[in-house]
Amino acid sequence: METRLYIHFNLIVNNVLTNTQYPICMKKDEFDQFYKVLFKGSRGKCIRTYSQFPPAQFYK
């Protein structure tokens, strides 16, 4: 889910939800940096997907 200043998302690693209680909340610029680091660290295997229902999710 995206607001004016923040993005709320779930983080899924190897098909396992890592944040089981609440979506992670980050400022948009922090979220973009976080994704760049994940993408680089996964050698391009980390993707950002959007479902019909928020939040944005990562799959690795």
Side-chain angles (χ1 to χ4, degrees), residues 5-24:
L5 299 174
Y6 296 95
I7 293 179
H8 303 264
F9 64 95
N10 286 327
L11 181 65
I12 299 172
V13 178
N14 296 328
N15 295 324
V16 177
L17 181 65
T18 59
N19 54 307
T20 56
Q21 293 184 340
Y22 304 104
I24 299 168

Side-chain angles (χ1 to χ4, degrees), residues 8-57:
H8 303 264
F9 64 95
N10 286 327
L11 181 65
I12 299 172
V13 178
N14 296 328
N15 295 324
V16 177
L17 181 65
T18 59
N19 54 307
T20 56
Q21 293 184 340
Y22 304 104
I24 299 168
C25 178
M26 288 185 169
K27 290 184 177 180
K28 288 184 178 186
D29 58 337
E30 292 173 346
F31 176 80
D32 289 337
Q33 183 62 35
F34 177 69
Y35 177 73
K36 287 176 186 175
V37 170
L38 281 178
F39 187 82
K40 185 177 181 181
S42 71
R43 298 182 185 143
K45 294 180 182 175
C46 178
I47 61 171
R48 179 175 11 192
T49 64
Y50 296 93
S51 65
Q52 293 177 353
F53 306 100
Q57 296 182 353

